[in-house]
Amino acid sequence: MRLYRVSPSTGGYEPVENGGPLGSVIMGSGLSFQLLVYNAQKAPQALVPIGANFDYTLRDTYMSFTDKQSSVQTSWSLLFDTTDVMRTFLTTLNLIINHVLSHSEAT
C-alpha cells in the first residue's frame, strides 16, 4: 500500500515516504484499536485510532479518512495494491468498527 497525507497549506495530497510501499497493521484489544502504517524499517508513518466514529470513504482502490482524535486533524489516503488486498483490509476494519459499536456504552 501507499500512504498520502493532505497538506494543510495546499490541501493537496503529498506522498509519505516518497510514495514507496508501506505496511500496515490494525492492533488493539477490548474497545481500543489503532491503525499503524509503517515503512520498511518498521518506523511509524501514521498511527490513527479506530473507534465507533471512524469514518472513511472509498474510491477505486483508495481509502480516505481523517484522524479526528489528534490535536491537529490529519487527513490521509491509503492506496491499495489490489482490490483483493483492499477487500481483506476493509473486512477486518469493519469487523473492528462493528465490535466497538456493539460493545460501547454509547449504543
Side-chain angles (χ1 to χ4, degrees), residues 28-99:
S29 64
L31 300 178
S32 178
F33 292 88
Q34 296 177 316
L35 167 61
L36 170 64
V37 181
Y38 56 89
N39 65 13
Q41 293 74 37
K42 306 294 186 213
Q45 302 303 305
L47 184 62
V48 180
I50 298 172
N53 65 344
F54 186 85
D55 294 322
Y56 62 89
T57 59
L58 302 174
R59 182 163 187 214
D60 300 319
T61 53
Y62 285 91
M63 181 184 95
S64 299
F65 56 95
T66 301
D67 180 358
K68 298 175 186 174
Q69 296 183 7
S70 65
S71 58
V72 177
Q73 291 190 3
T74 305
S75 293
W76 303 93
S77 187
L78 282 175
L79 171 61
F80 295 90
D81 296 328
T82 67
T83 55
D84 286 340
V85 170
M86 184 178 186
R87 187 177 302 115
T88 300
F89 180 89
L90 290 172
T91 298
T92 303
L93 177 64
N94 285 318
L95 286 170
I96 289 170
I97 292 170
N98 285 328
H99 168 78

Side-chain angles (χ1 to χ4, degrees), residues 2-5 14-22 37-45:
R2 314 262 193 270
L3 180 66
Y4 299 87
R5 176 181 27 241
E14 298 177 345
V16 174
E17 289 286 303
N18 297 315
L22 300 170
V37 181
Y38 56 89
N39 65 13
Q41 293 74 37
K42 306 294 186 213
Q45 302 303 305

